[in-house]
Amino acid sequence: MNAQKRAIEELRPGHVLVMDARRDASAGTLGDTLALRAMKRGAAGVVTDGAVRDSATITELDLPVYAAGSHPSVLGRRHIPWDTGVPIACGGALVQPGDLIVGDADGVVVVPPDLAADLIADCREQERQERFIAEQVAVGESVDGLYPLGPAWRDVYENWCKGETQ
């Protein structure tokens, strides 16, 4: 039971496994068997700044996996799992136990828990502004002063928000 297998077995529903591979895309950090086990443990996802093996099979799993690429190297060829539950660097970001990991098709961000509430509020506002802007652009408005939302559009946006919440 090396550190990687221990980390997989310690996963709880909703956890995200984050692995530091020192940004080495030639380091296979996860294969299909352990990805399947992570999924069965209830993991919300896996993030590595290294590579994954068996990428075609992993892609078919109901488990979001973010990696620097795919590579056939097996564990131990480039990296040896060392520890679990400690602060690491992944993709150039500090990741500490308890951090929130949020990912979509564009990538992954790490959010310290004490920033989450403010960040969520800011993200919701940004999304609302971008919905408004997209509606304006769709009807032919120029992005000049509109994107990002400038003072000339602020009153129109505020009125739009009132109608959106009704």
Side-chain angles (χ1 to χ4, degrees):
M1 286 295 282
N2 64 31
Q4 180 195 39
K5 290 177 183 172
R6 282 194 320 272
I8 297 285
E9 292 303 323
E10 292 170 0
L11 288 169
R12 299 293 177 259
H15 282 182
V16 176
L17 176 62
V18 182
M19 295 180 283
D20 175 7
R22 299 186 323 259
R23 295 183 177 186
D24 186 347
S26 69
T29 59
L30 183 77
D32 59 349
T33 300
L34 292 181
L36 177 61
R37 182 63 180 152
M39 184 185 82
K40 290 297 183 180
R41 300 273 315 148
V46 176
V47 179
T48 177
D49 61 0
V52 295
R53 297 175 307 285
D54 313 315
S55 59
T57 303
I58 289 174
T59 300
E60 293 174 5
L61 295 175
D62 188 23
L63 178 72
V65 175
Y66 298 87
S70 46
H71 197 279
S73 69
V74 296
L75 192 64
R77 300 282 181 190
R78 305 283 298 175
H79 293 279
I80 297 172
W82 195 256
D83 209 347
T84 65
V86 297
I88 63 168
C90 185
L94 171 63
V95 182
Q96 300 185 77
D99 282 349
L100 305 173
I101 310 297
V102 181
D104 66 10
D106 294 323
V108 177
V109 296
V110 179
V111 180
D114 58 325
L115 299 180
D118 289 341
L119 185 60
I120 289 168
D122 289 347
C123 289
R124 286 183 174 150
E125 174 58 21
Q126 182 67 34
E127 286 296 317
R128 181 191 290 194
Q129 286 184 20
E130 289 186 9
R131 276 193 312 275
F132 167 77
I133 291 166
E135 283 184 18
Q136 302 310 309
V137 172
V139 297
E141 293 292 344
S142 167
V143 295
D144 186 30
L146 176 61
Y147 184 70
L149 193 61
W153 281 93
R154 183 57 61 179
D155 288 341
V156 177
Y157 171 68
E158 295 298 333
N159 286 330
W160 178 87
C161 287
K162 290 175 188 170
E164 186 186 49
T165 59
Q166 295 174 0

